[in-house]
Amino acid sequence: MRDLLAQVAGHCALGVAIAGYEHWLDHPDQELTDILDRALRSWGPDSAPSRRPRRKST
């Protein structure tokens, strides 16, 4: 059986690549490799919002 996490990561990467490609179709003056690089880097762990609840300031 396939590893679910690996399958999820693959689908997410494919979605990012498709979005980057569609962006490039609308902006052909930009380099596709630069767009894909930016898109894939934006998917990294630093781009996710924190899931920790915020503490109330006193």
Side-chain angles (χ1 to χ4, degrees), residues 4-43:
L4 179 60
L5 184 58
Q7 188 174 7
V8 168
H11 283 256
C12 290
L14 178 60
V16 170
I18 291 170
Y21 174 73
E22 290 176 349
H23 177 85
W24 175 70
L25 290 175
D26 291 335
H27 303 88
D29 55 312
Q30 297 180 13
E31 289 292 324
L32 178 58
T33 54
D34 292 340
I35 294 168
L36 292 175
D37 185 56
R38 276 195 329 256
L40 288 169
R41 288 177 189 274
S42 74
W43 183 46

